[in-house]
Amino acid sequence: MSYARDRQLDGLRTVAVSMVLYHHFFAVNGSVLGHLGVRLFFVLSGFLITRLLLDARFSVGYQSGAALKAFYIRRALRIFPPYFAMLGFIWFVNLEGAIGNLKWHALYLSNFWYAFRNEWTPWVLCHTWSLSIEEQFYIAWPLVMLLAPRRLIAPISVAVIAFSLAYRFYWPFTGTPALARDLLPPASVDALAAGALLAVHRGRTESWPAWIGLSVVPLTIAAITVLWLKSVPMTPVLEWLTWIGAEVFPLLPLVVLVGCCSSGVRGAFGRFLQQRSMTAIGRMSYGVYLFHPVVLSLVVKAQSWIPVNVSEQGPGRFVIATTATLMLASISWLAFEKPLNKLKRYFPYVSSARTNVLPSTRPNKAAGREYDASAYHPSYANRDEHGS
């Protein structure tokens, strides 16, 4: 397995963020693509974060305390500067009156803010619910990956997925659906844990279990069906069943997509993902996602100076807002984020002098099976999910 930059995974990030932009900029009657794009981001994050943590753990010279410290510092360098720059701008201009609730977003509690209020106010920060969930995941998951017994890593991932599914079955007893149904951590942690489980599996073998091969096509068809049904009026019971299907059915196809792209997909689709434009946008996809609602808010305010209609969903808004978002994200990446990312070399997960992979296929008696440590490349221990 090659651990050069995962070009096809960068391409998948572009696909995911494009779904979000389409949902917010173009879809006139709403779209499920935005949420599906966020779910794809979650699977990617769970996979890549877990892969780098396991890589560090299976390296000679691994020390849990040093690895945890490096992880949190590197995450802070990657995530915090552009995030708090965005919050600082919103505070400075008091965009959409968001200044009164910025403390929730500064503490990465946006998902709880919107869930408790049960409304998307202020809208300019509505996308931070998913960033909050990822940050909450980043706090807890490294402790599991680096401190839990190795034999329990996969069962813990499965248990988290099962817990998320059980959470969904709670909602029929609440009566009317609320934003909390989608925004609290249990509603999304299954995608993150599924990506983590993929990383555990791919560290042992690249072959898929037979049951996945048999189920991925039926689940894909079922996912497409329920995603289409979400736009059709229905009874509360059918709405709840459709919601569960739309959350659960796409999960395995998304995991298979990420797993295949991590190894390299051949053919036209693989070449499409590896195009320079796709990988370039994928590398700065965090900035694209982070800034796009702010750009949209400013573009709408500037409608009188713009010759096309950007006040409503449609092609005019999509072209203008997407172009402005990509320009801002490019400037942020080249002038701000990329230079800061270079500082991460001072915080390796494992000391470079001792970064050698454990002997290949070393038995783990406690686990009752073998772990193929040679599947993990030593240099990857000191990279992160953004490849920097």
Side-chain angles (χ1 to χ4, degrees):
M1 182 187 302
S2 173
Y3 282 90
R5 168 174 285 281
D6 295 288
R7 294 180 58 82
Q8 291 190 5
L9 296 184
D10 281 337
L12 277 187
R13 289 194 187 93
T14 301
V15 172
V17 80
S18 297
M19 292 180 180
V20 176
L21 295 183
Y22 173 82
H23 174 71
H24 285 158
F25 293 168
F26 191 90
V28 176
N29 296 318
S31 169
V32 297
L33 287 181
H35 188 67
L36 190 63
V38 172
R39 297 280 283 172
L40 177 54
F41 269 129
F42 283 155
V43 174
L44 280 165
S45 293
F47 171 69
L48 293 164
I49 284 293
T50 302
R51 186 172 71 172
L52 71 88
L53 290 171
L54 292 178
D55 184 47
R57 182 167 181 168
F58 293 157
S59 297
V60 171
Y62 159 74
Q63 295 179 337
S64 59
L68 282 171
K69 178 182 177 180
F71 175 84
Y72 291 128
I73 292 176
R74 291 164 70 96
R75 287 290 78 222
L77 286 170
R78 178 66 188 101
I79 294 174
F80 289 173
Y83 182 78
F84 286 103
M86 178 199 68
L87 292 185
F89 173 79
I90 291 175
W91 172 83
F92 182 74
V93 301
N94 194 21
L95 196 60
E96 295 187 14
I99 194 170
N101 52 74
L102 281 183
K103 58 181 178 294
W104 287 80
H105 308 289
L107 294 173
Y108 283 95
L109 295 174
S110 303
N111 54 327
F112 288 96
W113 165 262
Y114 291 113
F116 292 160
R117 290 178 60 85
N118 198 33
E119 62 180 6
W120 291 112
T121 304
W123 186 89
V124 71
L125 288 169
C126 69
H127 63 309
T128 58
W129 75 268
S130 60
L131 301 177
S132 295
I133 285 180
E134 287 210 2
E135 195 64 22
Q136 292 154 19
F137 175 77
Y138 290 154
I139 292 173
W141 197 248
L143 299 175
V144 175
M145 291 297 99
L146 297 180
L147 301 179
R150 294 178 183 178
R151 69 182 184 277
L152 296 181
I153 292 177
I156 289 173
S157 301
V158 172
V160 171
I161 296 171
F163 168 71
S164 183
L165 182 62
Y167 169 84
R168 291 185 169 89
F169 282 91
Y170 159 76
W171 284 100
F173 302 102
T174 67
T176 305
L179 286 181
R181 186 182 71 172
D182 294 293
L183 302 187
L184 295 182
S188 299
V189 75
D190 57 338
L192 290 158
L197 189 61
L198 172 64
V200 175
H201 170 77
R202 301 301 264 189
R204 298 168 180 168
T205 176
E206 289 197 1
S207 62
W208 294 101
W211 68 269
I212 289 183
L214 293 173
S215 58
V216 67
V217 172
L219 284 175
T220 301
I221 295 173
I224 294 173
T225 302
V226 296
L227 289 172
W228 174 78
L229 286 174
K230 282 178 70 69
S231 62
V232 177
M234 60 187 68
T235 65
V237 173
L238 287 177
E239 191 277 336
W240 171 71
L241 291 173
T242 303
W243 172 72
I244 286 185
E247 295 290 311
V248 175
F249 291 157
L251 187 57
L252 182 61
L254 291 178
V255 169
V256 171
L257 178 63
V258 171
C260 290
C261 289
S262 70
S263 300
V265 176
R266 297 181 179 179
F269 183 63
R271 291 192 298 271
F272 169 71
L273 292 178
Q274 291 179 207
Q275 289 185 66
R276 182 171 297 180
S277 58
M278 294 290 288
T279 59
I281 295 173
R283 283 193 292 273
M284 62 182 190
S285 58
Y286 174 55
V288 175
Y289 185 81
L290 186 63
F291 301 134
H292 82 274
V294 179
V295 169
L296 178 57
S297 180
L298 295 175
V299 164
V300 171
K301 290 180 181 298
Q303 174 64 86
S304 59
W305 289 282
I306 300 175
V308 298
N309 182 15
V310 295
S311 298
E312 299 176 345
Q313 304 282 84
R317 170 181 284 191
F318 182 79
V319 171
I320 298 297
T322 298
T323 301
T325 298
L326 291 176
M327 291 175 60
L328 178 58
S330 299
I331 294 171
S332 174
W333 170 252
L334 294 173
F336 187 41
E337 299 171 61
K338 190 175 180 179
L340 284 173
N341 280 348
K342 293 180 180 179
L343 298 176
K344 289 187 287 190
R345 67 181 182 271
Y346 298 112
F347 305 98
Y349 289 98
V350 181
S351 172
S352 59
R354 305 178 67 186
T355 309
N356 296 311
V357 178
L358 292 171
S360 176
T361 316
R362 176 176 175 176
N364 186 312
K365 296 180 181 179
R369 65 174 299 164
E370 292 182 343
Y371 286 80
D372 186 6
S374 65
Y376 296 93
H377 190 279
S379 66
Y380 206 82
N382 293 324
R383 298 171 68 89
D384 69 4
E385 81 276 20
H386 294 275
S388 299

